[in-house]
Amino acid sequence: LKSSPYTKYSDSRGNALTYACQAIGAAGDQRFVDKLHALLEHKDLRVQIEAIRGIEGAGSPASVPVLLAKFKEDVSWPVRIALLSALGGVPAKESIDPILAFLNSEDGRLRQDAVYALASIAGGLPEGNPYDWDGWWGLHRETFQANPSATQMFRQRYKVKDMPVIPLADFYGIEIISSRMVFVLDTSASMRGEKIVKLKETMALTVEGLPLDLQFNVVDFGGMIRVMKPGSLIEAKHVSKASNIIQGFTTTLGTRTFDAMEVAANIPVMDTMVY
């Protein structure tokens, strides 16, 4: 990992170290976890994330304190997601309190990742009330022991998207759980007539129903790409501005879907895109 001449190379697909981390994780090899631990401080965000995934794949209990130390730092949300996945995949009792504290403070999409981590460690959701993690931990704190086999069975059956969290809004039947999101909307010529009318109506209802502190933006695309507020999110309390822009949607020739997604993905702090 250190002596290879290829470690200095980096391109749009990632630093060469990302592939080394992936290989270690895929092999489930615990001999190199110390090397992966060191890469958690790498300057390339992609290397950090792949190192965390490699640690999860290796599955060494010795990695839990290192992961928890990183989890307590002020890290970006993609790294936080990787850490939650790894802490859930390498189950340990000492991970529950920090993850539970994070869940109780998080108001957006990472709630689902935190629930998945807790359910992975617990081997399932709380009985009776799947939202009551505080109650579950109050009952099991003294006697709980992590069971890697139960964790593995749970993860084979369920994915992050299956975890129950209270939605913040609804859009065309899609539950919105993020508090920092971007709508990417098709206003190409194929949307003429009733489709664009329906889109405007649905968007107006959705925006009006958003929690006031939720942050969002709107990118619409046809042959042109238009952004409600370039470069940042706005709080839902500014609903009148958003509604005026939405009602002004017009169709244009062309369908620049991926360009619009790229614009949305580059808006700072957004963590969810609804297309």
Side-chain angles (χ1 to χ4, degrees):
L1 287 175
K2 288 185 177 180
S3 61
S4 170
Y6 298 104
T7 58
K8 65 182 179 181
Y9 294 110
S10 180
D11 59 23
S12 61
R13 295 168 297 176
N15 188 295
L17 284 170
T18 62
Y19 308 117
C21 295
Q22 290 169 8
I24 293 171
D29 197 328
Q30 296 187 7
R31 292 176 299 165
F32 302 102
V33 291
D34 288 343
K35 305 293 187 182
L36 296 177
H37 294 168
L39 290 176
L40 295 184
E41 305 305 320
H42 197 279
K43 63 181 179 180
D44 190 322
L45 194 69
R46 296 167 295 184
V47 174
Q48 290 184 40
I49 291 171
E50 292 304 334
I52 295 167
R53 291 173 177 167
I55 290 169
E56 179 180 345
S60 172
S63 295
V64 172
V66 178
L67 293 170
L68 287 174
K70 188 69 176 177
F71 187 72
K72 293 175 182 178
E73 296 178 9
D74 183 18
V75 297
S76 63
W77 66 263
V79 174
R80 183 81 63 195
I81 286 175
L83 287 166
L84 285 167
S85 178
L87 288 168
V90 188
K93 181 177 182 177
E94 57 264 38
S95 298
I96 295 178
D97 275 322
I99 297 174
L100 187 57
F102 173 78
L103 175 62
N104 289 333
S105 66
E106 167 66 12
D107 59 4
R109 66 146 286 184
L110 270 67
R111 291 176 296 153
Q112 204 164 41
D113 298 276
V115 168
Y116 190 60
L118 289 171
S120 296
I121 297 170
L125 295 166
E127 294 183 4
N129 183 354
Y131 302 102
D132 188 17
W133 283 103
D134 288 307
W136 172 84
W137 190 225
L139 291 173
H140 297 88
R141 178 187 290 274
E142 299 302 323
T143 59
F144 179 79
Q145 291 184 336
N147 183 338
S149 296
T151 295
Q152 185 177 14
M153 289 178 62
F154 177 82
R155 289 197 157 203
Q156 288 174 348
R157 187 174 181 183
Y158 299 102
K159 303 301 179 185
V160 176
K161 64 182 179 62
D162 300 320
M163 296 299 98
V165 295
I166 298 173
L168 303 176
D170 177 272
F171 179 66
Y172 279 106
I174 301 170
E175 289 187 348
I176 294 172
I177 65 171
S178 169
S179 59
R180 302 186 300 272
M181 57 168 301
V182 179
F183 295 95
V184 180
L185 307 176
D186 184 355
T187 55
S188 64
S190 64
M191 293 289 288
R192 286 174 180 162
E194 287 300 315
K195 289 182 179 180
I196 194 71
V197 172
K198 180 66 175 176
L199 175 62
K200 291 179 181 181
E201 291 175 350
T202 303
M203 269 302 299
L205 288 172
T206 297
V207 170
E208 288 172 5
L210 296 176
L212 295 181
D213 58 348
L214 184 145
Q215 295 180 300
F216 76 106
N217 204 331
V218 178
V219 176
D220 77 287
F221 69 92
M224 295 175 58
I225 296 174
R226 297 170 291 208
V227 186
M228 184 171 67
K229 185 175 182 181
S232 66
L233 302 178
I234 68 168
E235 291 186 343
K237 63 185 179 182
H238 302 298
V239 63
S240 58
K241 175 183 177 181
S243 296
N244 290 336
I245 291 173
I246 291 164
Q247 293 309 314
F249 280 165
T250 56
T251 58
T252 56
L253 290 171
T255 310
R256 296 175 60 188
T257 307
F258 296 112
D259 290 337
M261 288 183 170
E262 184 177 30
V263 169
N266 282 302
I267 294 175
V269 309
M270 67 81 68
D271 63 20
T272 299
M273 190 186 305
V274 176
Y275 167 69

